[in-house]
Amino acid sequence: MTLAALAYPSMLGLNKVTTDEGRVIAQTQWGPLTEADRDFVVKVRAAGLWEYPLGQMAIEKGTTPEVVNAGEHLVDGHAALDASCRKIATLLNIPLPNAASPQQEGFVTTISSKSGKDFDSELVNTMRMTHGSIFNTVAKIRSTTKNTLIRQLANQANEIVLDHITVLEDTGLVNFEQTLHMQTAPPKLPAEDVTPPPPSGRQPQVVLTPPPTATSSPLVLPGESNPAPKSPDPKQAPDPQQSAGPQVG
């Protein structure tokens, strides 16, 4: 565990012996795995660990139907992306964080302290800024990776992140001048503030549970069978008390 913790920053590309993000760190049956590929899987996982609970918060605290709808899309999309990340990470031997970075947790703390219209505005603009940033990362990975699994994840992330950007903009609350400035000129923070904490072998893996009405699905990877879609039973309505929050398993 100590060795894993020491190695973890280098796995995120924060302490490399080379600045070449294309450096191959493993040869796999799905193609070479680079520093950038591995960092991408971790970034997608970490994004879900803080954006998913804020999506739940938007459903509960949003003051307009558009903000609530954005929350529903955040929960649905990140649950599917999280499942895909966990499957791919297992196959490629990539350790995944169980918590977001200190900076990301700070976003959650700030947004959760707001209420009413202030909550709506803070959530929408923060989310639009971070989704815009990761959208550029997705495009770069998709155009450069030689690994089939990473390419599949980038395809899924591209679709879901674009959907999230769209529903956030549909709220009518995005301050584009401020948000785009923050997106293109982010503050220079210490590496430890933007790095998710290393995983601990003593803790069960956090799982982002899909909502009962999920419309997004995890990736079907090579060798897996595509499960038949379940038809809703009109006699059995979803249990409104069923938790859709993060679980461990």
Side-chain angles (χ1 to χ4, degrees), residues 76-90:
D76 184 83
H78 280 295
L81 274 176
D82 182 72
S84 298
C85 275
R86 287 183 283 106
K87 289 202 291 185
I88 288 174
T90 299

Side-chain angles (χ1 to χ4, degrees), residues 108-127:
V108 176
T109 300
T110 299
I111 295 170
S112 63
S113 68
K114 307 290 184 179
S115 60
K117 298 295 184 182
D118 288 342
F119 168 82
D120 293 347
S121 178
E122 191 77 29
L123 178 135
V124 167
N125 282 282
T126 300
M127 289 289 194

Side-chain angles (χ1 to χ4, degrees), residues 26-33 91-92 146-149 221-223:
Q27 293 290 351
T28 78
Q29 68 185 83
W30 302 278
L33 182 72
L91 294 174
L92 297 179
K146 298 177 182 178
N147 188 284
T148 301
L149 300 184
L221 302 181

Side-chain angles (χ1 to χ4, degrees), residues 120-129 164-180 183:
D120 293 347
S121 178
E122 191 77 29
L123 178 135
V124 167
N125 282 282
T126 300
M127 289 289 194
R128 175 58 180 83
M129 180 266 293
H164 290 177
I165 288 175
T166 302
V167 294
L168 289 166
E169 292 175 349
D170 286 346
T171 65
L173 298 175
V174 176
N175 181 332
F176 283 98
E177 182 175 354
Q178 175 186 357
T179 300
L180 295 181
Q183 178 182 316

Side-chain angles (χ1 to χ4, degrees), residues 19-130:
T19 58
D20 182 12
E21 291 187 344
R23 184 175 72 90
V24 175
I25 57 176
Q27 293 290 351
T28 78
Q29 68 185 83
W30 302 278
L33 182 72
T34 65
E35 291 270 11
D37 292 337
R38 182 169 54 183
D39 295 354
F40 176 65
V41 178
V42 173
K43 286 176 181 176
V44 174
R45 162 72 168 176
L49 291 173
W50 73 278
E51 292 177 1
Y52 178 100
L54 279 180
Q56 292 180 309
M57 208 176 297
I59 296 171
E60 298 170 1
K61 295 178 61 174
T63 66
T64 69
E66 292 79 11
V67 173
V68 172
N69 180 60
E72 291 171 344
H73 280 246
L74 288 165
V75 169
D76 184 83
H78 280 295
L81 274 176
D82 182 72
S84 298
C85 275
R86 287 183 283 106
K87 289 202 291 185
I88 288 174
T90 299
L91 294 174
L92 297 179
N93 196 29
I94 300 174
L96 292 179
N98 249 351
S101 71
Q103 181 198 35
Q104 293 167 334
E105 293 292 351
F107 290 147
V108 176
T109 300
T110 299
I111 295 170
S112 63
S113 68
K114 307 290 184 179
S115 60
K117 298 295 184 182
D118 288 342
F119 168 82
D120 293 347
S121 178
E122 191 77 29
L123 178 135
V124 167
N125 282 282
T126 300
M127 289 289 194
R128 175 58 180 83
M129 180 266 293
T130 56

